[in-house]
Amino acid sequence: MKFFGRSGLAIKTAGIGAALLFSVSAGHAQSASPFAGFDGAWTGTGTVSLSDGSTERIRCKADYKVAGSGLNLKQALHCASDSYKFDLTSDVTSQGERISGNWSESSRNIFGNLQGTAGGGQIDVFVEANGFAANLSLRTNGTKQTVQISSKGEIRGVNITMTKS
């Protein structure tokens, strides 16, 4: 497995990874404690679509720690496909319907912000870093979460399903 064989893909992939990381954490935002039930491990698979029309399978593992009366979440996400991998961390906070946080990809020293809204089982989030932006939509149903991410960059989309272990 090689590390980011395409030029400029590192920042874009880290941003997509951050979006995935945040989306899994925010899945229960409609409850009184938006991160209730998230302590522990999650796994998932899906696809990444690139601007050249190619698609790759992606595998992810996430670990969560809920704090602050259930309003804060610290996370670690590890994802890999056939041509790249990334390791991300985030610190996310909920304030009413608003969701915000910071993320970083340690091996590449990349960091950014997350912000959006949550309600009625639907999460809409904007993820950004220097040179990267993406929109994310998430639907939660029990212990499964479906994540859709779109970007105008080299990585055009991500579709993934995470399941709590």
Side-chain angles (χ1 to χ4, degrees), residues 2 27 44 47 52 91 107 115 124-125:
K2 61 185 178 178
T47 58
D52 66 4
D91 190 355
S107 68
Q115 57 184 335
D124 292 301
V125 180

Side-chain angles (χ1 to χ4, degrees), residues 25-158:
S25 72
H28 288 282
Q30 66 273 16
S31 68
S33 176
F35 309 121
F38 279 84
D39 271 336
W42 290 71
T43 58
T45 61
T47 58
V48 175
S49 302
L50 304 174
S51 62
D52 66 4
S54 65
T55 302
E56 293 187 20
R57 303 269 312 145
I58 190 168
R59 302 164 307 282
C60 297
K61 293 181 182 180
D63 293 305
Y64 306 92
K65 295 195 187 309
V66 178
S69 299
L71 299 177
N72 300 312
L73 182 66
K74 292 187 184 279
Q75 309 164 287
L77 177 72
H78 311 282
C79 292
S81 76
D82 289 338
S83 63
Y84 58 85
K85 66 180 179 176
F86 51 88
D87 294 303
L88 295 150
T89 60
S90 76
D91 190 355
V92 181
T93 302
S94 172
Q95 295 178 346
E97 290 185 6
R98 299 291 309 161
I99 299 170
S100 62
N102 299 304
W103 61 270
S104 66
E105 204 289 326
S106 59
S107 68
R108 293 168 190 84
N109 196 28
I110 300 169
F111 56 91
N113 299 308
L114 308 161
Q115 57 184 335
T117 59
Q122 179 73 33
I123 306 291
D124 292 301
V125 180
F126 180 70
V127 178
E128 63 184 334
N130 189 19
F132 175 80
N135 290 300
L136 174 137
S137 178
L138 168 72
R139 291 196 178 272
T140 300
N141 185 8
T143 59
K144 290 190 177 186
Q145 298 175 358
T146 303
V147 180
Q148 294 180 323
I149 302 167
S150 62
S151 171
K152 294 184 180 182
E154 193 165 346
I155 295 177
R156 295 295 168 100
V158 174

